[in-house]
Structure formats: structure tokens, C-alpha cells
Amino acid sequence: MTTHTPPSAAPTTRLSPPGAPMTRDPAGRHWQRAPGPYGRAPLERRPPWARPALWAILGLAAVLYGWRVWSLSGNSYYSAAVLSGAHSWKAFFFGSLDAGSYITVDKPPLALWIPALVARVIGVNGWSLVGPQVVMGVAAVAVLYATVRRSFGYRAALIAALVLTLTPITVAIDRDNNPDTLLVLLLVLGAWALQRALESGRLRWLLACAAFVGLGFNTKMMQAYLVLPGFALVYLLCAKGSTVRRIGHLAAAGVALAVSSAWWMLIVDRWPASDRPYIGGSTNNTVWDLVIGYNGLGRIFGQSAGGGGAGQGANFGGTSGAGRLFNQIMAGQISWLIPFAVIALVVAVALRGRAPRTDQARAGLLLWGGWLAVHYAVFSFAQGTFHPYYSTAMAPALAALVGAGTVAMYEAPRRWSWALPLAFAVTGGWAFVVLRRTPSWHPWVAWLVAAATVAGVAGLVIARLAPRTRTRLALGAAAVGLVGSLAGPAAYATTTAFGGTGENGTNPTAGPATSGGMGGMGGGPRMSGRSMPTGMKPPTGGTPQGGAPSGGMGARGGPGGEVSASLISFLEKNQGGATWLVAVSSAQSASSIILQTGKPVIAMGGFTGSDPAMTVAKLKQYLAEGKLRYVLVGGDNRGGNTAVTDWIKKNMTVVKSTEYGGGSTSSSTGQTLYRYNG
């Protein structure tokens, strides 16, 4: 077999991208791909440097995500649910905030199950709360590498893996225990399975893709579905087989998606409401309402749902609009490589213009491009609650496009040689602007970015003008330009990992603090005056003892979340046979007390204090049956149930501060403790 060689290139230097026909070079030494519009492409045989480079990147990811993991406590809201799930299988299944299963967290429980299982073995500590996140974050890098390699080769895959590793907001969220880390892993697995479906045309891989997205739904509900428009369109346009066959496969995948998404919701909503916890974040105690409201349309349109998620977008991610991801709060989290990815996508797709419909490289570009476009539109214009860390879901698409685009533009025909220096120039210029927004924070980084960008662009231009030295000079210039593009995110990432700037529990962010919004808000005060009890250790039967995290891990709450040690000690001594230690206004206070004591605490109003979970009739029943004796009112009771509060004040007795030997909580946090004497 001979290799078709264009007049302008030798077969050993002009290799086409994956998907082109395979031939042997004239010497027969190795397999290569026939020339195509991409220019060079990797050899089919793995280069000797590929595996060591991958392990180095995975090691870097493990260090960035897992540095001092034993000291991390994560988001107290989810940490309390992990502790409760480690104590109670009922709380485990429903994702209850407390072991008494009064109310669930406002997300499905899948992201809580893994740390809760780990906690049953090693106790509740940084290893069980955040350790699984580190593993999932590193796994996402590895799966992305495998996915990009199949479409674009080893070089592109390594660049993509490095970009994902260094994405600042990804580093911040992988050092936390919010559900986004698991969501990203599941969606990348979905992309991997979809790619296999595109290559083979087999239904089983498309069903696996649907199953992964469905698991993502059971991690963070509707956000998982943002990849579906791109996934479905790519399969319809680029998969093998007839149009009827592809439509039939998509219909079958839709069934698989529905089953993998809805099974937990259907079980919970059909469960007798009197025998399960209230569904946190909902308005009517159903998961369906949570799906379409608080975690669905409420996030996009700002509709009030359950926890009152409307109108919070400006508080965390800045005002909605096309420029949100480039504003003072968001720019350093995710925007660094968006310009590069857009240029890379346009150029790379243009280079594949004459490829057949089933071309795998173009399919990969459309897959990641669709992922990025939908996320950008939704995150930019969403009117509801929007935290900066949501944008970590964009990171795999950005990374894949940067990896594929860098190789495509570097190996493009001469008429496209302007593309790579343009991408480096725009990206480096934007990085300089972002870094100069905090001029006192390591100012040398901005100038390093500027110098590397200028050197890389100049080298690529000179290489075009001097073809004889093009290969070595262009390769070196491209490497320098890539360093300039990644220096800014790398600086933010390392600061987040080693400087502790992203350890914010409720709202983790990366890099230095910036003005212009509440991007760094969250977490709240650590509990004062009381060290954390000994960590849980499982006895022979497998049920944890104790319950609170070890290592002095503080419990974080929101406004009004701090409760004095003397008050907590009083409650523990006087709990008696009650199921719940105390009832408080919201999960912000409840999670803090749960983490300190390891005992069930009622969060009457859910996460924000405004869920209609508690009624006067329910409260009277709990008190009459001896399941509850004390209620703590005030502090973070934002928009709580007025009827319940009024009944408490009229029918329960105020506990004076002299009874528990400490300062009155009402003087510092506006909270008042009530006792039932019936």
C-alpha cells in the first residue's frame, strides 16, 4: 500500500487528523494517517512521551485538588447531610439534612452517597467530605484526555487535560463538597460514551451516554441537561447509519434518559409524605416541583420557588447579560480561554469543511462547541441564583476546544497560519486585562503573560516568513504562546490550592479577592468557643459512633448561624428522649449545630428559611409526642413561617441565658431559645 502525498509535503511531515484513511509510510516503520485539511496529526501508535506526560498532569491535578485535604470541611450544608447519611440509611437515601430526616437538602442525593459511605468507614473528616471530590476531579481529567485523544490525538488530549487541571474555578470546586465535581465527571463520561457511539454507530454507547446524563440529573437536576442539545444534534448529524436509524437511536436514548433521571424522583414522590422528609427547596413537598422550580426554571427566569431563589444572580455572579462571564467577579474563574476556544472552534471546523458527514474530528468539535455555547448562553443570561462555581461545567468543553484547536491551527495549511498567533494575541491580551484588575496581586504574572504572548506571536509570524526554520521555531513559539495563555489561570489555580483562597464552603471562588460584587461571599463564621468532638469510627456493625468531624473542623453557617457553645451544651444535657436536639429557622444554623454535636436538628424553613416545611399542626404534634423540646427562633429566619413563629412565642417559654450559663444569643445574633413545658 502506498501513501497519497500532496506535492507540498512529505508523508512523514504531513499527517492528517484522526478519521482519515490509515496507510503505512514509505519505509513501513509505523502507521500514519493520509494527509488531510488538518495538517499533521498524531501517529496511531502512542508516542513514548504521552503516558509520562499524562501521569504528570494527573499528579498535578491531584496535588492542586487535594493539597491539605485533611483540613478541609467543605460546605457545611452538604457536610451535615453527609454526617446524617452516615448515621441513618433513611437519611442516606433521601439526602436528609439531619439524621431524623425532617427535611432534605435542595439537591438530589447522589453526590452525598459516596462521601457518606466513606464516612461510615473512616469517620466524618476532610478525607471523607472532600477526598472523594479530589478523586472525581482527577478522574474527570483522565476521562477528558481519553475522549479528546480518540478524536484529535495525543498532543491535543494532553493540552486539554492540562487546561482542565489548571482551570481556576475547577480547582476551587474540587476542593469543596458541592455536587458540581460529580456533575462534571458524569457529563464528561457522557461525552466519552457519545464519542464511542459516533464512531461505532452502536446503540449501546448512546444508551450509556443517556445513563450518565441521567445520573447527572440525580446530582444537580436540570443543569445536567444543558449538554443535551449539543449531544443530540451531533449524533443526528454525524453518527453512522441512515437518518431513520439515527432518529430511532435518539428515541431509545430518550427513554434511557428518562429512566435514569426519574427513578429516584418517582420513588420519593410516591412515598407517603408522612413517612419521609420534606423535600427541601420545593413549595409543595415534591421532587417534581423542585425540578421545574427552584432547580429548573427558577434558576433561568428568577421565579420564586421554595427557597426563594429569585433575584440572587447579581449577589454572586454579577448582573446577567452577555458580558457576565467577563465581569469583575467571573473573569478570573472561567473566562481566560473563552476567546481562544471560540477562534479555535471556528478555524478547526473550517479546516474540516470537505470532510464526510461522519468525520469524527468535526463531530468532536461540534460536540464540545455545542456544550460550550449552551452553557455560555444559560449562565450569562440566567436571572435566578447563579454562583461562580456553576461555571466549572464549562471547563471540559473549553479544555477540549483549546487542545484540539491548538493542534489544528499549528498544523493548518500556510493560508491559515495567522490563526494561531491571533488566538494567542487575543487570549494573552485578555489575560493581561484580568490580571491588572488586581494590580497589587503578584504584578509580575501579568508582565510574564505579556512577554510570553509577544514572544510566541512574534515567533509564529517569523516562522511563516522563514519557511526553512519554520518547524523548530514554530514549535518553540507555539509552546511559549501556550505558556502565556495558561500562566494566568495557573497563577489563580496555585493560589487557590496553596493559599487557601477558594476554601469558602458555600460559595468557593478562585484567585485573589476582587471588588465589584459578592463573589467571595459565603461560608460564614466558624463556630466559636467549642472544639469539634472526636471523629466517627465505625463499630463492628458498621454504624458510626460520635458523629462530628474531627481535626478541629469548624462548622460554617450563614447569617445568624453562630450559636454559643454554652447554649449547645445546655441543649445536649436537656435533650432527653427527644428525636431532635432543637428546631431552628433554617439549614444555615441547623448544619452548624449538626456538625458540632452529630445530633439531628430541625431546619424548619430549609436552606433559606422560607420553605413551607413546618406548620403549626406539625410542630404541635412533635412537641406533644416528645420528639422535640426546644426551638431557636430568630437570627437567620428570613421570610420564615410567621404563623409558626407567632405560635411559638405565645405557647412556649423563653429560656433565660442564666439557665445555660452563657451570654444571651439574642444579644449577638438575634436568636431566642424557647422550651415546651407541656
Side-chain angles (χ1 to χ4, degrees):
M1 184 182 295
T2 60
T3 303
H4 172 71
T5 306
S8 60
T12 55
T13 59
R14 293 291 291 171
L15 304 177
S16 74
M22 296 298 298
T23 61
R24 285 196 180 275
D25 71 350
R29 290 189 298 270
H30 53 67
W31 285 96
Q32 65 182 31
R33 298 188 185 274
Y38 241 46
R40 284 196 189 98
L43 302 176
E44 184 70 6
R45 180 182 297 173
R46 183 179 61 243
W49 42 262
R51 180 169 291 176
L54 173 62
W55 283 109
I57 293 172
L58 294 179
L60 175 62
V63 171
L64 290 174
Y65 304 160
W67 182 254
R68 295 186 60 83
V69 65
W70 55 88
S71 67
L72 302 177
S73 58
N75 185 339
S76 64
Y77 183 56
Y78 297 116
S79 297
V82 169
L83 188 153
S84 300
H87 272 289
S88 164
W89 286 114
K90 182 177 182 179
F92 175 90
F93 176 77
F94 287 106
S96 302
L97 178 69
D98 63 285
S101 289
Y102 172 77
I103 193 169
T104 70
V105 298
D106 57 10
K107 299 292 185 296
L110 188 60
L112 302 173
W113 286 350
I114 297 174
L117 291 174
V118 176
R120 283 182 172 265
V121 178
I122 67 173
V124 177
N125 48 53
W127 294 106
S128 58
L129 292 175
V130 184
Q133 307 291 105
V134 175
V135 175
M136 290 185 282
V138 175
V141 174
V143 176
L144 179 69
Y145 168 86
T147 307
V148 174
R149 179 186 62 80
R150 296 185 69 89
S151 292
F152 306 108
Y154 290 98
R155 293 169 179 82
L158 288 170
I159 294 173
L162 181 61
V163 171
L164 179 59
T165 295
L166 295 177
T167 300
I169 194 58
T170 297
V171 176
I173 199 63
D174 288 352
R175 294 174 59 79
D176 198 75
N177 63 343
N178 282 276
D180 298 72
T181 298
L182 177 58
L183 176 67
V184 168
L185 173 59
L186 290 170
L187 295 184
V188 174
L189 283 168
W192 170 79
L194 176 62
Q195 183 191 65
R196 301 297 297 268
L198 292 169
E199 293 174 358
S200 64
R202 294 180 178 177
L203 176 60
R204 66 185 184 187
W205 287 113
L206 190 62
L207 296 179
C209 172
F212 283 127
V213 177
L215 290 174
F217 178 89
N218 281 298
T219 301
K220 213 176 177 193
M221 292 192 167
M222 295 295 285
Q223 186 178 337
Y225 284 178
L226 295 183
V227 300
L228 289 180
F231 281 14
L233 184 62
V234 168
Y235 191 83
L236 183 63
L237 295 178
C238 304
K240 295 180 179 179
S242 66
T243 302
V244 173
R245 176 185 174 88
R246 282 175 274 143
I247 293 175
H249 282 187
L250 286 173
V255 175
L257 176 67
V259 172
S260 60
S261 298
W263 66 271
W264 181 81
M265 176 177 65
L266 292 176
I267 292 174
V268 174
D269 281 351
R270 291 182 64 86
W271 201 292
S274 60
D275 192 37
R276 63 161 171 80
Y278 185 92
I279 305 304
S282 71
T283 60
N284 62 1
N285 196 18
T286 65
V287 181
W288 174 246
D289 179 76
L290 186 64
V291 170
I292 63 174
Y294 184 65
N295 287 329
L297 299 179
R299 300 281 172 165
I300 298 176
F301 300 111
Q303 297 173 346
S304 178
Q312 298 297 320
N315 289 339
F316 298 104
T319 305
S320 63
R324 169 184 270 177
L325 300 185
F326 298 91
N327 67 21
Q328 190 79 0
I329 301 170
M330 295 297 304
Q333 310 304 313
I334 194 65
S335 76
W336 305 90
L337 294 168
I338 290 178
F340 192 105
V342 172
I343 296 173
L345 176 62
V346 172
V347 173
V349 169
L351 290 171
R352 304 303 297 175
R354 297 183 179 180
R357 179 184 63 81
T358 58
D359 177 65
Q360 294 303 302
R362 182 169 59 197
L365 292 169
L366 295 178
L367 186 160
W368 299 112
W371 179 326
L372 180 63
V374 174
H375 278 80
Y376 180 88
V378 173
F379 289 165
S380 294
F381 295 99
Q383 299 292 320
T385 302
F386 177 75
H387 287 273
Y389 65 81
Y390 295 174
S391 63
T392 189
M394 299 174 63
L398 277 172
L401 291 174
V402 170
T406 299
V407 174
M409 291 186 290
Y410 175 78
E411 298 179 342
R414 186 176 178 82
R415 66 180 180 276
W416 289 94
S417 59
W418 54 266
L420 187 58
L422 173 64
F424 282 147
V426 174
T427 303
W430 172 240
F432 185 84
V433 171
V434 174
L435 290 166
R436 293 304 294 170
R437 288 177 174 176
T438 52
S440 61
W441 183 79
H442 303 305
W444 60 271
V445 177
W447 296 108
L448 171 65
V449 168
T453 300
V454 171
V457 172
L460 289 170
V461 172
I462 294 173
R464 178 184 181 183
L465 299 176
R468 293 184 178 180
T469 61
R470 182 180 183 224
T471 301
R472 292 184 179 179
L473 179 59
L475 181 61
V480 172
L482 192 60
V483 169
S485 297
L486 294 180
Y492 268 51
T494 53
T495 296
T496 302
F498 305 127
T501 60
E503 297 166 17
N504 197 313
T506 304
N507 188 41
T509 53
T514 57
S515 61
M518 299 170 66
M521 176 183 171
R526 292 179 178 269
M527 301 305 292
S528 59
R530 179 184 174 105
S531 61
M532 302 308 296
T534 306
M536 298 190 311
K537 296 295 180 183
T540 305
T543 302
Q545 295 177 340
S550 60
M553 184 182 71
R556 299 171 178 178
E562 187 172 358
V563 180
S564 69
S566 58
L567 176 56
I568 291 179
S569 178
F570 170 83
L571 291 170
E572 289 180 303
K573 292 178 181 178
N574 292 275
Q575 181 179 3
T579 302
W580 288 280
L581 181 68
V582 65
V584 297
S585 301
S586 79
Q588 302 289 2
S589 294
S591 59
S592 298
I593 301 173
I594 291 170
L595 288 171
Q596 286 198 90
T597 64
K599 297 185 177 182
V601 176
I602 288 179
M604 293 186 291
F607 182 72
T608 64
S610 57
D611 287 357
M614 181 61 79
T615 63
V616 172
K618 184 186 293 187
L619 178 61
K620 291 170 65 176
Q621 178 185 350
Y622 286 168
L623 294 171
E625 294 175 352
K627 295 180 179 180
L628 178 68
R629 294 187 64 194
Y630 294 93
V631 179
L632 190 62
V633 174
D636 58 358
N637 185 24
R638 297 165 287 172
N641 191 318
T642 304
V644 171
T645 303
D646 291 342
W647 188 92
I648 292 170
K649 292 179 179 180
K650 292 178 181 179
N651 296 277
M652 298 181 69
T653 304
V654 175
V655 178
K656 297 180 180 180
S657 62
T658 54
E659 293 192 48
Y660 51 85
S664 172
T665 57
S666 60
S667 63
S668 58
T669 64
Q671 296 172 310
T672 303
L673 182 66
Y674 289 85
R675 175 170 50 211
Y676 181 68
N677 295 319

